[in-house]
């Protein structure tokens, strides 16, 4: 039986008279993006939306060696760096999530990400890759990189203490979705659906006075007997899943979701976590944090912080669902 989630507060304003649904799409961050918006005319929106996404990549990509983030990661020990304002917004937010969940999420864990083959080089799916040895993992953990990063309160510059690798892959995509939403709303467009690589944000409604309906992501290959659809009305969705990027290692699934506290991919039965939140940046980061925390600590964290979250767990041969109180409250 299909279940329906609806935001508690609905904006009853209709799309402008004479507007129609326009669709724009392209590529960014190694994936696709799509924007559907109620507009009078398409104008130059394709170029404007792509430009906004390109700006995020130029600042936060760890694949582009010329990005602001990559230049910081390669900088000399002891050097201070003035990162763009958007980069600093993401860094400060990511660090706040890391603090809130006691390190289960960590934007300073890029060295671990690289070590496990989920970075830009020496990839897990390349022939020369091999899983890291315990000593290499322990050496990175011993550095306690998050404790070494410093932000000067006066200049706003960030210290590169040496070897620290920032990784925004679990938050930048959500931030990019929010950037597109800000671009649209700043131009008076309040009825839209944005999707970047599976992360979504919606507002307003379509011409038929229907909200933007989207289905929550299921675990591939599982029997989803009770699918969930969401009215994306002032809400964002992000899902962290162990099936996105992984390799088999010593008989277990080594996924791209790493536990920064242990240095290893998670092994806590979590197949995926979906978070609904007004801001996609928050949904993106928090879905990863809850995945690492696991079904018990993660659900407790979600309830403590009133987060709408759904956990899909691998239990024996089936997928089991657990959800937070805030998620259940959205069920129509």
């Amino acid at each position: 039986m299909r279940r329906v989630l609806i935001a508690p507060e609905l904006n009853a304003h209709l799309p402008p008279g004479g507007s129609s649904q326009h669709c724009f799409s392209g590529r960014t961050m190694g994936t696709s993006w799509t924007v559907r918006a109620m507009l009078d005319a398409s104008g130059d929106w394709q170029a404007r939306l792509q430009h906004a996404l390109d700006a995020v990549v130029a600042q936060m990509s760890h694949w582009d060696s010329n990005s602001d983030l990559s230049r910081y990661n390669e900088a000399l020990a002891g050097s201070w760096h003035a990162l763009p304002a958007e980069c600093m917004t993401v860094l400060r937010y990511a660090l706040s999530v890391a603090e809130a969940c006691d390190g289960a999420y960590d934007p300073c864990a890029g060295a671990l990400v690289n070590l496990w083959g989920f970075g830009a080089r020496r990839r897990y799916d390349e022939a020369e890759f091999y899983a890291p040895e315990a000593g290499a993992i322990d050496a990175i953990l011993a550095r306690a990189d998050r404790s070494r990063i410093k932000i000067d309160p006066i200049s706003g510059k960030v210290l590169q203490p040496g070897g620290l690798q920032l990784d925004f892959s679990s938050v930048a995509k959500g931030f990019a979705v929010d950037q597109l939403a800000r671009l649209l709303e700043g131009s008076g467009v309040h009825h839209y659906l944005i999707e970047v690589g599976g992360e979504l944000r919606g507002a307003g409604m379509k011409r038929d006075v229907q909200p933007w309906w989207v289905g929550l992501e299921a675990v591939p290959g599982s029997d989803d007997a009770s699918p969930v659809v969401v009215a994306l009305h002032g809400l964002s969705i992000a899902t962290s899943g162990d099936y996105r990027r992984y390799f088999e290692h010593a008989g277990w699934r080594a996924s791209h979701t790493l536990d920064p506290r242990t240095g290893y991919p998670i092994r806590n039965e979590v197949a995926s976590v979906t978070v609904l939140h007004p801001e996609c940046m928050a949904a993106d980061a928090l879905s990863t944090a809850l995945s690492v925390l696991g079904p018990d600590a993660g659900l407790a964290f979600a309830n403590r912080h009133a987060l709408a979250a759904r956990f899909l767990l691998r239990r024996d041969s089936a997928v089991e669902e657990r959800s937070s109180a805030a998620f259940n409250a959205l069920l129509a």
Side-chain angles (χ1 to χ4, degrees):
M1 181 180 69
R2 188 178 71 168
R3 293 168 294 162
V4 176
L5 297 179
I6 298 178
E9 297 181 4
L10 299 177
N11 184 344
H13 292 296
L14 298 175
S19 64
S20 60
Q21 185 180 148
H22 292 259
C23 182
F24 311 94
S25 62
R27 300 286 300 176
T28 188
M29 303 181 189
T31 188
S32 61
W33 67 268
T34 303
V35 171
R36 293 177 172 84
M38 300 302 298
L39 303 168
D40 294 329
S42 60
D44 60 350
W45 276 107
Q46 175 71 34
R48 294 176 67 188
L49 294 165
Q50 187 67 61
H51 178 75
L53 291 168
D54 291 346
V56 174
V57 171
Q59 292 186 21
M60 305 179 201
S61 173
H62 61 278
W63 294 82
D64 181 356
S65 60
N66 292 318
S67 72
D68 293 284
L69 192 71
S70 292
R71 287 200 297 270
Y72 169 85
N73 287 344
E74 298 301 320
L76 295 174
S79 56
W80 290 85
H81 302 267
L83 296 177
E86 294 82 0
C87 252
M88 291 303 299
T89 294
V90 171
L91 175 59
R92 290 180 188 277
Y93 178 74
L95 288 173
S96 73
V97 173
E99 180 70 21
C101 66
D102 296 325
Y105 176 88
D106 190 354
C108 301
L112 283 173
V113 173
N114 294 335
L115 192 65
W116 279 98
F118 297 111
R121 295 178 293 277
R122 208 181 71 84
R123 298 275 297 166
Y124 71 95
D125 52 2
E126 296 175 348
E128 64 271 20
F129 173 77
Y130 56 89
E133 297 181 355
I137 297 169
D138 291 342
I140 292 176
L141 293 178
R143 293 192 329 215
D145 280 344
R146 186 160 57 90
S147 68
R148 299 194 301 138
I149 193 169
K150 307 294 181 186
I151 301 176
D152 185 273
I154 298 176
S155 68
K157 291 183 177 181
V158 184
L159 172 68
Q160 170 54 272
L164 191 148
Q165 301 287 294
L166 288 176
D167 188 325
F168 290 169
S169 57
S170 60
V171 66
K173 194 161 54 174
F175 177 80
V177 170
D178 292 335
Q179 283 290 84
L180 295 188
R182 282 186 279 269
L183 174 60
L184 290 165
E185 293 178 1
S187 299
V189 179
H190 302 290
H191 302 266
Y192 57 81
L193 176 66
I194 302 166
E195 186 265 337
V196 179
E199 321 287 45
L200 301 107
R201 177 168 169 166
M205 62 191 74
K206 297 177 286 184
R207 171 55 55 196
D208 59 4
V209 199
Q210 284 289 316
W212 306 95
W213 292 105
V214 299
L216 291 195
E217 192 172 303
V219 176
S222 66
D223 180 18
D224 192 358
S226 184
V228 181
V229 295
V230 184
L232 269 195
H233 193 97
L235 286 174
S236 298
I237 298 176
T239 298
S240 175
D242 72 350
Y243 44 81
R244 296 192 188 283
R245 297 186 300 279
Y246 69 93
F247 61 93
E248 297 296 330
H249 174 61
W252 56 281
R253 179 187 297 252
S255 83
H256 73 286
T257 304
L258 306 180
D259 186 338
R261 302 166 301 181
T262 67
Y264 287 82
I266 59 173
R267 297 182 68 181
N268 56 14
E269 299 183 305
V270 171
S272 73
V273 175
T274 296
V275 172
L276 288 85
H277 193 281
E279 292 194 5
C280 201
M281 176 176 70
D284 198 1
L286 291 167
S287 64
T288 300
L290 296 181
S291 295
V292 175
L293 286 170
D296 296 324
L299 191 58
F301 183 95
N303 285 328
R304 190 163 61 248
H305 294 275
L307 300 176
R310 180 182 74 158
F311 293 72
L312 295 181
L313 312 176
R314 298 184 188 276
R315 294 278 171 85
D316 298 323
S317 59
V319 173
E320 176 184 316
E321 177 181 314
R322 297 179 68 181
S323 52
S324 67
F327 181 93
N328 295 334
L330 296 175
L331 288 169

